[in-house]
């Protein structure tokens, strides 16, 4: 089994790519958009650009937002972006759309609304629509974050629907993760179920002008008390994102968490852990790409037929498939 | 990259394993339990036994049951097992427990209740508790099914909670999949969300003595009509599993589906597809096992540190990790 073509050791880009890199670093939004499209689609040029840009990344703060559909994550993301802009920070937003056609419409609608809101050229919004990228959505999200980081964004907000493990992983891969809740009935149970509490650094109760907000805050605090030894006591912040209420407190909570990460040394540990996870995901994807070539698929079909007819067994067939690739 | 040690070409077992195989084939339940434990834990002896036993499999009918927690899947499984026993068929039950501690208790309770019910030695119940097995829970489930099949079970029922994609895959990997619903509010939405309708061959509405049963039946039929071209029209069967009502109709529906699979030739096609999926999962797991050796982990840590310090980038590190293994 061979590995993918090794990158050129100096990560020098050829003429046109080098020009695009310079345009991107000069904050040309079109150059940024093109590179991100390559990155998302798994284009080799995207990987070449990533290699060249990666040394310039590592300066941005990353904040993940997750929570149930309907919790108002987009509005909270929006408010956070505005607050960071008021502090003079440039902002990138990475929004992960689930592939489900049932929710896509609403989310795209939100995106459009948010995009219209920003004539502000220092906010760049990118929707990651599919799971087609090399290494899965989680690795692709990291790549997009690295490009936005190298581009010079100070803060990168990563919004996911939190509907599955993959999306929980994405939100949890930011330096600070905000879990957005609402006072609506049933949310307590959902929060418990998803095991999402373990990754939340800051808890926002959005729509906290609705009845049941006090009960939700109490429930969250009770849940947090079940898991006390994490070196950080996640604050519960009430917000009414549609009114802009509580946004400053939310930013303060994120800042406090970031300072704690820095002073405790956990910022660096987490960065290494994220790198480890992305390397693993990419290595795995590379191996699978090598197995699932046209020739590999043909041999797989042959082996599957042998297994179905009991001429071979699944474990022997798996070993034979690997040995032949 | 090397592959796992190839099996001996004749799949002959050494003395003690050969003896255990003979005991298993003579329907010794302890021998069966031991082999299943090896299979689940990824023990090499389990793989050896699988290779030896696999040619004797392929005779059992497999039926998957899935649905939301609380739908009464265990009770329906129980009733199906009794019905098949009354027809003189021996039955194996494979129950997939989710790893969540929140639901584990209740499900183990069900298992105990069911086990007590069967003094009947022709029913064998096996709980698959964890995701530790080679190739994931889905591949492990197939292995367990193959062993029960070789042991001589006529019908194998596979019950999963259907709480995630993995479990939907497991239920869908049976010849016939029953989706168990209840008239409870909100289920329609959940059914839609999980994309689970596509894999259901038979729809059971359990607890159909409760209010809302008619509405649930109508909702399911409406959903089915959205996806008409599947060569099989999934029947919607009302059951009250706790009263044993509707069980015969459910068995008839399963039989009708099985006959359709046979007459259309789709039984064989699906068998090949299952083999393909298991080979892929096992090959993938083998590769990962090779990467995640002690040495591989050490190199991964080194590479993750390089990536975090920007001395390397994730894609180059992934290529380097693969190249060195």
């Amino acid at each position: 089994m061979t590995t993918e073509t090794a990158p050129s050791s100096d990560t020098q880009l050829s003429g046109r790519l080098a020009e695009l890199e310079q345009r991107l670093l000069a904050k040309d939004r079109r150059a940024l958009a093109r590179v991100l499209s390559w990155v998302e689609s798994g284009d080799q040029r995207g990987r070449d650009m990533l290699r060249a840009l990666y040394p310039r990344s590592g300066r941005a703060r990353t904040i993940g937002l997750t929570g149930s559909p309907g919790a108002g994550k987009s509005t909270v993301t929006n408010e956070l972006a505005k607050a960071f802009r008021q502090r003079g920070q440039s902002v990138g937003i990475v929004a992960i759309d689930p592939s489900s056609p049932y929710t896509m419409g609403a989310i795209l609608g939100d995106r459009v609304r948010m995009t219209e809101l920003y004539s502000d050229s220092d906010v760049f919004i990118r929707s990651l629509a599919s799971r087609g990228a090399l290494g899965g959505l989680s690795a692709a999200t990291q790549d997009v974050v690295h490009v936005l980081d190298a581009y010079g964004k100070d803060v990168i907000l990563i919004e996911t629907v939190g509907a599955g493990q993959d999306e929980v992983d994405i939100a949890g891969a930011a330096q600070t993760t905000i879990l957005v809740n609402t006072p609506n009935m049933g949310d307590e149970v959902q929060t418990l179920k998803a095991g999402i509490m373990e990754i939340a650094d800051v808890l926002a109760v959005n729509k906290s002008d609705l009845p049941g907000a006090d009960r939700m805050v109490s429930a969250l605090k009770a849940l947090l008390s079940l898991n006390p030894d994490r070196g950080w006591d996640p604050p519960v912040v009430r917000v009414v994102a549609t009114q802009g209420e509580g946004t400053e407190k939310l930013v303060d909570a994120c800042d406090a968490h970031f300072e704690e990460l820095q002073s405790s040394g956990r910022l660096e540990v987490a960065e290494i852990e994220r790198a480890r996870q992305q390397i693993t995901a990419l290595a795995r994807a590379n191996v699978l790409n090598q197995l699932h070539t046209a020739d590999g698929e043909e041999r797989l079909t042959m082996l599957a037929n042998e297994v179905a007819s009991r001429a071979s067994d699944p474990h022997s067939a798996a070993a034979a498939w690997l040995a032949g690739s």
Side-chain angles (χ1 to χ4, degrees), chain A:
Chain A
M1 181 162 282
T2 58
T3 60
E4 80 165 357
T5 312
S8 57
S9 58
D10 53 1
T11 66
Q12 286 295 297
L13 295 169
S14 63
R16 286 197 58 182
L17 286 187
E19 192 195 314
L20 193 65
E21 183 194 11
Q22 289 316 311
R23 279 173 51 204
L24 184 147
L25 293 174
K27 303 230 189 297
D28 177 335
R29 289 165 71 98
R30 289 196 183 186
L32 174 60
R34 177 170 302 174
V35 171
L36 290 177
S37 296
W38 286 342
V39 165
E40 281 180 52
S41 64
D43 190 303
Q44 179 59 46
R45 290 170 293 185
R47 288 202 286 281
D48 290 341
M49 289 298 287
L50 269 168
R51 285 183 181 119
L53 292 170
Y54 189 75
R56 295 176 185 273
S57 71
R59 282 175 296 194
R61 272 183 65 187
T62 54
I63 299 174
L65 293 101
T66 192
S68 306
K73 287 179 300 298
S74 292
T75 321
V76 174
T77 303
N78 210 6
E79 289 303 305
L80 278 183
K82 283 201 271 181
F84 280 112
R85 285 299 300 124
Q86 278 161 14
R87 295 176 178 208
Q89 310 258 286
S90 63
V91 176
I93 299 176
V94 185
I96 318 296
D97 290 355
S99 47
S100 164
Y102 299 106
T103 48
M104 193 85 99
I107 287 170
L108 286 180
D110 284 345
R111 283 283 83 68
V112 170
R113 190 157 44 76
M114 288 173 70
T115 309
E116 282 168 354
L117 204 63
Y118 295 110
S119 51
D120 185 344
S121 73
D122 278 320
V123 176
F124 188 93
I125 303 177
R126 186 78 188 186
S127 262
L128 268 177
S130 79
R131 289 154 199 277
L134 185 81
L137 198 51
S138 185
T141 304
Q142 289 300 320
D143 281 346
V144 167
V145 167
H146 292 145
V147 172
L148 288 170
D149 186 346
Y151 174 86
K153 289 299 177 195
D154 298 313
V155 177
I156 299 165
L157 305 175
I158 307 163
E159 181 201 332
T160 74
V161 175
Q165 189 56 48
D166 203 18
E167 279 162 5
V168 171
D169 289 347
I170 291 163
Q175 291 163 337
T176 298
T177 303
I178 303 175
L179 174 60
V180 183
N181 297 277
T182 52
N184 304 339
M185 209 181 73
D187 270 11
E188 290 106 314
V189 180
Q190 246 185 310
T191 304
L192 256 172
K193 260 194 186 169
I196 214 170
M197 290 292 287
E198 288 77 34
I199 62 145
D201 303 305
V202 174
L203 295 153
V205 178
N206 189 25
K207 307 181 190 182
S208 65
D209 52 344
L210 291 181
D214 288 343
R215 204 164 51 85
M216 189 62 195
V217 170
S218 304
L220 290 173
K221 285 185 174 166
L223 282 171
L224 287 170
S225 70
L226 296 176
N227 187 17
D229 294 327
R230 43 186 286 171
W232 164 254
D233 199 14
V236 182
V237 183
R238 288 163 186 263
V239 294
V240 186
T242 52
Q243 316 278 325
E245 282 172 28
T247 310
E248 281 304 314
K249 278 189 185 155
L250 199 55
V251 174
D252 290 345
C254 290
D255 285 349
H257 179 250
F258 186 72
E259 279 154 27
E260 197 278 331
L261 283 178
Q262 282 186 307
S263 61
S264 67
R266 289 198 296 124
L267 189 67
E268 210 182 337
V269 173
E271 171 84 6
I272 293 168
E273 180 53 30
R274 275 193 294 278
R276 174 193 288 272
Q277 284 177 9
Q278 197 187 358
I279 295 167
T280 308
L282 291 171
R284 197 173 160 142
N286 278 339
V287 170
L288 291 179
N289 280 355
Q290 288 162 43
L291 286 172
H292 291 285
T293 56
D295 176 57
E297 288 292 339
E298 200 176 303
R299 290 191 307 107
L300 176 57
T301 300
M302 199 189 67
L303 288 163
N305 274 283
E306 285 177 18
V307 168
S309 67
R310 266 64 191 174
S312 180
D313 68 274
H315 290 264
S316 302
W321 193 39
L322 283 176
S325 67

